[in-house]
Amino acid sequence: MSPSQSLVRAAPAAPAGPPEPPGRAERVLPLRRPARWIAGAAVLVLVAQAGHGLLTNPFYQWDRFAYWFLRPVVLDGMWITLQVAAYSALLGLAGGVLLALGRLSGNPVLRSVSWTYVWLLRSVPLIVVLLFLNNLGALYPTLSIGVPFGPAFFTFDASRQATDMVVAVVGLGVVEAAYAAEVVRAGLLSVDQGQHEAAAALGLPRHYQLTRIVFPQALRAIVPAYVNLLIGLVKATSLVFYVSLLDLFGTIQGLGSTYPGDVVPLLLVATVWYVILTSVLSAVQYHVERYCARGALRSLPPTPLQRARAGLDELRGRYRKEAAR
């Protein structure tokens, strides 16, 4: 027998059984996670206990809280808080962008001065800056703009110009600029170097590269961190009470001294108003991040309303499947 005839052919595979009829497929059961349900139940119990104690404890005096919450004196303090926060945020953002560009500049003078400013203002407590500016009129009765060691072009009285609002806005703004500078610088550095090279290869001017190519991409990294700074700024406005500006917290402090029996409900009023302000900023942050995500993601993340609708549709689909069985 020849070697070729001694080869053994592989046996053919056994024929598969008849296909299962439709509807006979086994149902895939989800993985049971008892620990997750136990942890969720424990958290719900703790939340329920905390809410019950918050609502039923007579020490909180919710009737007095409702009385003070929308009083004109409280709303006036809230308006001052909004003004200080808005003006300080604009000043801090503008200063932060300039300082960040100075830190990234090739000019050693701009780079050194920007670094020194950021280092100094981040090292000094905010309350010290506010108190120092509040006494600026005593340190420098007159301020002038002109040639160093030469004639002055403009001279003005610092004690008259440094009002309580100006001191609060400038104090918060200059400190905010130091922190905003690092946020903006980090956002600019997060843009891929290839974007800079591609923009330069196209022959685009430097300011066009920054405003149209680099900065829009950097916003995706700048917005979350900068909104955190804004939330901290809104809460930091409570310190302007020490420079005699009656913002929300200053008004609450004054009312608490006049009505010592309402100290707790007044503190609750301030807490709720600060929570409302920071919640609005968080909502604005979400929509700004969603807007900046265009072009970076294939599909925009769903809004909370869209998520709720999708969840309801999923529950309805499950209910219909269970009812059909």
Side-chain angles (χ1 to χ4, degrees):
M1 181 180 295
S2 62
S4 60
Q5 294 178 347
S6 64
L7 296 176
V8 179
R9 296 182 178 180
E20 295 184 0
R24 292 280 305 276
E26 294 184 0
R27 182 184 176 188
V28 179
L29 297 177
L31 181 63
R32 303 299 181 184
R33 301 180 182 274
R36 180 183 298 179
W37 290 102
I38 294 174
V43 170
L44 286 178
V45 170
L46 293 177
V47 171
Q49 288 181 342
H52 180 266
L54 187 65
L55 295 176
T56 59
N57 192 337
F59 190 71
Y60 291 113
Q61 305 178 53
W62 291 108
D63 55 337
R64 301 300 296 171
F65 168 85
Y67 172 79
W68 288 112
F69 188 70
L70 294 177
R71 298 296 294 177
V73 63
V74 175
L75 296 180
D76 291 340
M78 170 61 63
W79 174 242
I80 294 177
T81 296
L82 290 175
Q83 286 182 302
V84 173
Y87 295 148
S88 302
L90 292 176
L91 179 61
L93 180 59
V97 172
L98 295 178
L99 289 170
L101 295 178
R103 290 287 308 273
L104 299 175
S105 174
N107 190 318
V109 176
L110 295 178
R111 191 167 59 248
S112 300
V113 172
S114 301
W115 181 89
T116 304
Y117 181 95
V118 172
W119 164 74
L120 181 62
L121 269 297
R122 288 198 305 174
S123 303
V124 180
L126 176 58
I127 185 63
V128 175
V129 176
L130 290 173
L131 293 177
F132 185 87
L133 292 177
N134 194 40
N135 294 280
L136 186 64
L139 296 173
Y140 301 98
T142 59
L143 296 177
S144 61
I145 300 176
V147 179
F149 309 105
F153 300 142
F154 301 99
T155 302
F156 51 92
D157 189 354
S159 59
R160 291 184 179 181
Q161 301 297 328
T163 61
D164 297 337
M165 177 64 75
V166 171
V167 169
V169 171
V170 172
L172 290 172
V174 296
V175 175
E176 183 77 3
Y179 291 94
E182 293 301 284
V183 172
V184 175
R185 186 173 69 91
L188 295 176
L189 293 176
S190 68
V191 179
D192 188 78
Q193 187 64 28
Q195 299 293 320
H196 299 266
E197 296 173 354
L202 293 174
L204 300 178
R206 292 295 299 272
H207 70 277
Y208 195 90
Q209 297 178 26
L210 178 65
T211 57
R212 298 298 182 88
I213 306 297
V214 178
F215 200 72
Q217 299 182 64
L219 282 177
R220 293 196 294 269
I222 292 175
V223 169
Y226 187 69
V227 173
N228 284 337
L229 289 182
L230 290 182
I231 291 175
L233 176 64
V234 170
K235 295 184 292 184
T237 55
S238 59
L239 294 177
V240 303
F241 169 69
Y242 292 98
V243 295
S244 304
L245 187 63
L246 292 180
D247 67 322
L248 174 62
F249 184 75
T251 302
I252 294 300
Q253 284 283 88
L255 292 174
S257 301
T258 307
Y259 303 93
D262 291 348
V263 171
V264 173
L266 285 170
L267 291 177
L268 288 174
V269 168
T271 301
V272 172
W273 274 119
Y274 281 120
V275 169
I276 291 174
L277 291 179
T278 54
S279 300
V280 171
L281 287 176
S282 299
V284 172
Q285 172 190 356
Y286 173 81
H287 289 285
V288 173
E289 287 183 1
R290 194 169 184 270
Y291 178 82
C292 295
R294 299 181 308 166
L297 302 176
R298 294 183 177 179
S299 61
L300 294 178
T303 63
L305 182 59
Q306 292 173 345
R307 292 178 181 176
R309 289 177 178 175
L312 290 177
D313 293 340
E314 184 179 357
L315 290 177
R316 290 173 183 173
R318 289 182 179 179
Y319 176 76
R320 290 173 182 173
K321 289 181 180 179
E322 294 293 337
R325 294 175 183 174

